Amino acid sequence: MAVMVILAVAITGLSGSMLLSMSLNRVNRDSALAQQAARRVMEQIESRPFGEVFAAYNAAKGDDVGLSSPALGPNFAVAGLQVQHGDADGACGRVMFPTQTLGGLEQLREDVDVAALSMPRDLNGDGVVDALNHATDYKLLPVRVRIEWQGVSGPQHLDLETMLSPR
C-alpha cells in the first residue's frame, strides 16, 4: 500500500512536469514565430524605397498613388499564432509609426510622445520639432513592428523598433 502511494505521488509529479514542459515549448514556439515574423516584416520595410515606406505601411489609402509596388497597409497575419480575443482586424501583426489622426487623415508627426521610438524628434531635419504632418518630407522614420497574440498564459506581445534613414 505504501509503495502504491509513493508510486502515485511520483506519477502525479512526473505528469505535472510533462504538462509544464509542453506549455513552455508552446510559449517558446510562439515567441520564435513572433520574432521571425517581426524580422521578416522589418526586412520588407527596409527593402522599399525610403520615401515610400510611410505611405506603403500606413492605414491611409489616399497616399498610395505612385508607389513602386502595392501598399501593404499596417496589419499583417502571422501564421501559427492565435489572434488575441477582440482583435478587430484579425491580424496579429501591425506596423506602427509616430502618428496622429486628424480629420480622418493619419499624419506622421514629430511631436508625438513615444519614448521607445525616441520621440518627440525632428524627422525632417529642419532643426525644429513641430506639430506638422511630415508624411512627405521625413529624413528619419521611426518604425515599430508589433506582434500581439493569445498565448497559453494569456495575451502576449513583441515589439521590434528601429529608426530608418535613407541609404
Side-chain angles (χ1 to χ4, degrees):
M1 182 82 117
V3 170
M4 296 280 285
V5 169
I6 292 171
L7 189 57
V9 168
I11 289 174
T12 302
L14 184 59
S15 298
S17 295
M18 289 177 65
L19 288 173
L20 180 60
S21 174
M22 288 172 36
S23 177
L24 287 174
N25 281 341
R26 172 81 190 269
V27 168
N28 289 337
R29 182 190 70 85
D30 287 354
S31 295
L33 287 172
Q35 289 173 1
Q36 289 170 352
R39 277 192 237 111
R40 183 187 76 246
V41 169
M42 192 62 79
E43 287 173 6
Q44 290 172 349
I45 290 169
E46 291 172 344
S47 71
R48 289 196 79 109
F50 177 72
E52 296 183 5
V53 172
F54 181 71
Y57 289 94
N58 68 22
K61 303 277 187 233
D63 61 357
D64 296 348
V65 177
L67 296 178
S68 60
S69 57
L72 299 174
N75 303 314
F76 59 93
V78 179
L81 293 182
Q82 182 180 352
V83 177
Q84 285 186 356
H85 305 298
D87 188 323
D89 63 22
C92 292
R94 190 167 72 235
V95 178
M96 303 163 73
F97 303 100
T99 61
Q100 188 173 19
T101 303
L102 295 173
L105 176 67
E106 185 177 14
Q107 297 183 0
L108 180 64
R109 301 280 294 263
E110 295 178 333
D111 62 336
V112 175
D113 187 14
V114 184
L117 292 176
S118 301
M119 295 295 297
R121 182 183 197 125
D122 178 22
L123 299 180
N124 67 340
D126 67 358
V128 178
V129 173
D130 56 44
L132 301 175
N133 184 7
H134 293 283
T136 59
D137 69 349
Y138 57 87
K139 304 285 188 257
L140 290 175
L141 185 61
V143 181
R144 172 184 288 156
V145 175
R146 173 170 284 170
I147 313 289
E148 297 175 309
W149 71 97
Q150 188 65 37
V152 292
S153 59
Q156 304 292 317
H157 82 277
L158 175 127
D159 287 339
L160 180 59
E161 297 146 344
T162 194
M163 184 73 69
L164 299 178
S165 63
R167 296 178 203 176

